[in-house]
Amino acid sequence: MTENTVEVLLVEDNPHDAEMTIRALKKVNLANRLTHLKDGAEALDFIFAKGAFADREIENKPKVILLDIKMPKVDGIEVLRQIKANESTRTIPVVIMTSSKEEQDVITSYNLGVNSYVVKPVDFEGFARAVSQLGCYWLIINQAVE
């Protein structure tokens, strides 16, 4: 693992939800190599090493992307579409973490290849537990393609 390796890429525009996610991952020691981005355009630039992230080593892919759907500039569905359409990024596990229970969002996400679709629990304890379990599964238990 190189110095600039990102294990968790959190793409979340809501500062409260981002802070709760980061805190939950820190609690189980899974936030050491976390990068938080606030919109889909930033996420695409990061993932594909463009724009402000053009000097990033594109080979250093996140081990998991935690992605909100409803975001400014580029929504999570479009970010997911571009990740899964690109041969070099399609194997990165993507977990949609959203407040949207809309059936069409769920169907579209799975049709595009999302690895998991999680509706954010409203209470902090439930939210923290869900994030901790997701982090443990995707970073420790899951056997990823390198």
Side-chain angles (χ1 to χ4, degrees):
M1 188 180 321
T2 65
E3 187 62 33
N4 62 356
T5 297
V6 173
E7 291 186 338
V8 178
L9 178 59
L10 172 62
V11 187
E12 172 64 65
D13 65 315
N14 181 310
H16 178 70
D17 287 355
E19 179 56 36
M20 286 196 320
T21 302
I22 292 166
R23 200 170 349 147
L25 290 171
K26 281 183 179 177
K27 198 171 187 178
V28 291
N29 297 317
L30 295 176
N32 293 340
R33 300 202 185 268
L34 179 138
T35 296
H36 171 224
L37 303 173
K38 296 174 180 79
D39 65 60
E42 233 184 357
L44 290 171
D45 281 353
F46 180 89
I47 292 161
F48 296 107
K50 296 179 181 175
F53 302 100
D55 60 344
R56 191 181 80 75
E57 292 179 38
I58 198 165
E59 299 79 32
N60 289 328
K61 296 179 183 97
K63 286 189 176 181
V64 65
I65 298 171
L66 304 178
L67 181 64
D68 191 15
I69 288 182
K70 311 290 186 208
M71 293 185 297
K73 297 184 182 177
V74 178
D75 71 13
I77 296 292
E78 182 57 29
V79 173
L80 174 65
R81 179 178 282 112
Q82 290 191 37
I83 291 168
K84 295 302 182 176
N86 187 294
E87 192 172 325
S88 68
T89 57
R90 78 172 42 121
T91 60
I92 299 171
V94 178
V95 177
I96 295 285
M97 286 184 48
T98 184
S99 55
S100 174
K101 294 180 181 179
E102 293 178 36
E103 185 176 359
Q104 192 55 53
D105 286 340
V106 177
I107 291 167
T108 300
S109 296
Y110 278 109
N111 284 341
L112 291 172
V114 76
N115 297 87
S116 188
Y117 190 103
V118 177
V119 176
K120 298 174 192 173
V122 178
D123 64 293
F124 175 73
E125 286 78 24
F127 187 88
R129 188 171 40 258
V131 169
S132 296
Q133 290 170 349
L134 284 168
C136 287
Y137 177 77
W138 289 107
L139 294 174
I140 298 170
I141 297 169
N142 183 57
Q143 179 62 51
V145 175
E146 293 294 326

